[in-house]
Amino acid sequence: MSQVIGSTYRHFRFRFNTTLRAVATIGVIVVPASASEEISKADGQIRPDVAFQSALRDVSETENNEQRNERLNRIQDLSVGRHDHMIGQLLWYYATSDEKVKASSVVGRVLDHHDVPKQTSVFALIPHLDDRDASVREMTRSLLQGYEERSASRPPDFSAYRSFIEAKIRTGGEPSDSLVRHMYESDPGTALLAIMRGYQLRDPDEMKLILWAEHVVADLFWKRRHGFLGPKAVEPAVIRQLRLLAQHERWWVRMYVAEILRRHPELARPQVLESLQDDAHPLVRETILKATEKHSKRSRDP
């Protein structure tokens, strides 16, 4: 499937317009953290609702604005108190459609018709990062990136992820590997800090260690970006901080190092690569394997 939506507006009208411009785009909305309970079978697949799917097709088949609004209102009626159900039906409709552009338009119109808080929408999307259908997972990731509202002048907004993680931790749970992976693939530095705050660390020394290390690494990239250093320049202080974090007891801190090395093989050092290859957490091992492959290729290139 082609690349889907890379950004969305702060509210649904922006997301609708973006959806209409995308060739292979989906929008999803609103749900509490328990969204997947009603829309999924035991095997993790979305269960299509005949009435809902019919209503979505009806929207796609009219060019009359007044009639379209009536049909959108019908979908809204079907969704009252069941926003979790809506998200599954929108995903299923798009994922199974043979006309992606048309399906994108329908989904965008439905989203534009429902004004739901950003956090509610993000909470709705997160469970679908683990959907069995690869196209659903890909669309979910792309929509989440849209809600992150990244721009050239500012980092992505991970506040909703932080709230989701906080809620998990308060109830004795943990964020899913899929969410952590998505966050680090989107922006490693912002992810590290958001997860740290989501876990509500209380030890000032531990927090300072993480904050300082992220600052040192981010500063290197800032210097590169603004021409104070070459595009592949390496500073000893960065290598020291990555080595230090690679030994941290929290897996999501080590995951930060693995993702940085995956993106920037010039920062990789054999000692750190080897230590993370045997990491206790599978996501860290998976990520560092990719980093090792890039590092090996870089070493072989003339």
Side-chain angles (χ1 to χ4, degrees):
M1 191 180 78
S2 61
Q3 277 300 108
V4 289
I5 182 172
S7 64
T8 55
Y9 290 93
R10 290 183 176 84
H11 300 290
F12 283 107
R13 186 169 300 279
F14 185 105
R15 288 196 294 279
F16 172 48
N17 291 336
T18 302
T19 302
L20 290 177
R21 290 195 300 268
V23 172
T25 302
I26 174 137
V28 182
I29 100 174
V30 344
V31 168
S34 60
S36 60
E37 293 178 1
E38 186 174 332
I39 61 178
S40 298
K41 295 181 179 179
D43 62 6
Q45 293 181 313
I46 297 170
R47 179 168 56 242
D49 180 320
V50 174
F52 209 107
Q53 294 303 315
S54 176
L56 289 171
R57 287 193 298 273
D58 286 345
V59 171
S60 73
E61 293 169 358
T62 181
E63 297 298 328
N64 181 283
N65 287 335
E66 183 177 351
Q67 187 178 54
R68 182 186 297 117
N69 284 334
E70 291 176 358
R71 294 178 178 184
L72 287 169
N73 286 336
R74 180 190 171 204
I75 292 175
Q76 188 165 8
D77 291 340
L78 289 171
S79 305
V80 172
R82 305 172 70 209
H83 292 307
D84 54 345
H85 190 63
M86 175 187 282
I87 187 173
Q89 296 310 305
L90 290 174
L91 281 168
W92 194 90
Y93 174 76
Y94 182 87
T96 58
S97 174
D98 294 328
E99 299 181 77
K100 297 304 185 187
V101 174
K102 193 172 185 179
S104 298
S105 176
V106 171
V107 172
R109 292 184 189 281
V110 173
L111 293 177
D112 192 47
H113 207 70
H114 296 74
D115 188 15
V116 180
K118 171 182 173 179
Q119 181 168 303
T120 305
S121 299
V122 171
F123 276 35
L125 286 164
I126 288 173
H128 290 281
L129 287 168
D130 290 311
D131 196 283
R132 290 186 60 187
D133 188 301
S135 63
V136 171
R137 296 196 304 270
E138 182 178 352
M139 289 184 283
T140 299
R141 288 192 297 269
S142 295
L143 281 174
L144 286 172
Q145 288 173 351
Y147 280 106
E148 292 163 14
E149 299 178 352
R150 179 196 301 270
S151 76
S153 61
R154 66 175 184 272
D157 177 9
F158 283 179
S159 58
Y161 300 149
R162 173 183 171 181
S163 297
F164 186 88
I165 293 171
E166 286 177 354
K168 284 285 187 181
I169 299 302
R170 282 198 300 269
T171 57
E174 294 278 338
S176 64
D177 290 359
S178 58
L179 174 59
V180 174
R181 178 194 290 110
H182 170 79
M183 293 173 69
Y184 277 120
E185 288 181 350
S186 182
D187 188 293
T190 304
L192 176 65
L193 301 184
I195 294 172
M196 179 189 75
R197 292 172 179 127
Y199 269 80
Q200 303 173 73
L201 301 191
R202 295 288 185 261
D203 183 349
D205 291 335
E206 182 180 17
M207 295 176 66
K208 286 180 180 178
L209 184 151
I210 294 172
L211 287 168
W212 180 250
E214 193 279 332
H215 168 75
V216 171
V217 176
D219 189 55
L220 170 66
F221 298 144
W222 184 91
K223 291 174 182 176
R224 288 180 177 182
R225 186 165 60 254
H226 293 283
F228 293 97
L229 290 173
K232 295 296 181 182
V234 176
E235 293 183 321
V238 172
I239 304 301
R240 287 195 297 271
Q241 293 302 320
L242 292 174
R243 184 180 296 117
L244 186 63
L245 292 189
Q247 301 169 357
H248 201 281
E249 64 177 353
R250 297 183 186 274
W251 76 268
W252 45 267
V253 176
R254 303 192 302 274
M255 177 64 185
Y256 167 76
V257 179
E259 180 61 23
I260 289 293
L261 299 186
R262 184 186 73 81
R263 290 169 174 246
H264 305 281
E266 74 278 5
L267 299 178
R269 295 297 181 269
Q271 181 183 3
V272 175
L273 289 172
E274 291 170 9
S275 69
L276 295 180
Q277 284 172 358
D278 298 322
D279 197 270
H281 200 282
L283 188 54
V284 177
R285 296 197 303 271
E286 170 192 315
T287 306
I288 206 63
L289 176 61
K290 298 174 183 176
T292 302
E293 292 171 349
K294 290 185 69 173
H295 180 69
S296 298
K297 182 179 183 301
R298 182 173 180 271
S299 299
R300 292 193 302 269
D301 289 342

